Amino acid sequence: MDEYIDILTKEGIPIGKSELKSVVHQKGYYHNTAHIWFYTTQGEILLSQRSAKKKICPLLWDVSVAGHIDAGESIKQAAIRESTEEIGVSISESDLKEIGVFQCFQTYDTGIIDNEFHNTFICELQVDISKLVLQKEEVEAVKLVSFKGFNQLIEHIKNNDNHFVPSNKSYYEFVLQKIVQTVNSTLL
């Protein structure tokens, strides 16, 4: 879908204008996305396999839920909407724990110039994975991996194993650290 999204400066400040997502990616305008990493208190992280229909990194495994923020929409509103749309999970703003904003400025062979600020949240997955309803245009499959398994996938990211998006290694390491800290603090 070619929705309107708000344009930012290189520093992440809104400029008060919006444009179609296709134009934003064609011209390389800076913009926000929402990333939600779901985890379980049993020490697992939900990974989503990007749809085969995606123009960027099809069939690679990545963040549980991610999407662009529609023009005029808050980042948390987008996180809630994307969670419902992509995997059928209803969450509230209070379920979201913000862990940071990460710059991801990349150009792809497809001609897409993707200058994104990933507004990143973690959130406890409170439904069984079998209850998830996947949006096939976005998500091919989902799986839970243990913290140890997630770390092993990160360690092998440069081996061209076609599992994770290779440019995101330090981002994945940071997310894992924050999720482990959160789960450990709830067990104390």
Side-chain angles (χ1 to χ4, degrees), residues 70-136:
D70 291 342
E73 185 177 40
S74 78
I75 293 167
K76 285 187 174 182
Q77 287 170 334
I80 292 165
R81 175 182 51 77
E82 290 289 347
S83 295
T84 303
E85 288 176 359
E86 290 191 6
I87 62 172
V89 171
S90 295
I91 57 173
S92 67
E93 286 191 16
S94 63
D95 295 325
L96 296 167
K97 179 180 178 184
E98 187 174 355
I99 61 168
V101 179
F102 303 89
Q103 296 178 357
C104 185
F105 305 155
Q106 296 192 30
T107 301
Y108 297 92
D109 293 341
T110 59
I112 292 175
I113 306 167
D114 207 12
N115 292 323
E116 295 183 343
F117 291 92
H118 298 325
N119 296 269
T120 307
F121 302 92
I122 59 175
C123 184
E124 183 181 344
L125 183 65
Q126 297 187 10
V127 298
D128 189 89
I129 190 172
S130 65
K131 304 284 186 210
L132 302 181
V133 180
L134 308 184
Q135 182 184 24
K136 287 299 180 184

Side-chain angles (χ1 to χ4, degrees), residues 4 11-13 17 20 32 41 50 53 57 67 70 96 101 114 139 150 162 166 170 179 181 186:
Y4 277 89
E11 295 73 34
I13 301 165
K17 295 182 181 180
L20 288 170
N32 279 317
T41 54
R50 295 173 61 81
K53 300 172 185 175
C57 303
D70 291 342
L96 296 167
V101 179
D114 207 12
V139 181
F150 189 85
N162 289 327
S170 61
I179 291 174
Q181 286 174 351
T186 61

Side-chain angles (χ1 to χ4, degrees), residues 47-52 54 61 63-66 85-87 133-142:
L47 298 179
S48 289
Q49 186 180 34
R50 295 173 61 81
S51 168
K54 299 292 277 181
W61 294 86
V63 59
S64 311
V65 170
E85 288 176 359
E86 290 191 6
I87 62 172
V133 180
L134 308 184
Q135 182 184 24
K136 287 299 180 184
E137 297 80 24
E138 298 289 332
V139 181
E140 197 75 24
V142 292

Side-chain angles (χ1 to χ4, degrees), residues 154-158 165-174:
I154 295 169
E155 287 176 7
H156 296 97
I157 205 165
K158 293 198 183 228
V165 176
S167 59
N168 291 351
K169 183 175 182 177
S170 61
Y171 171 64
Y172 294 137
E173 290 170 335
F174 181 82

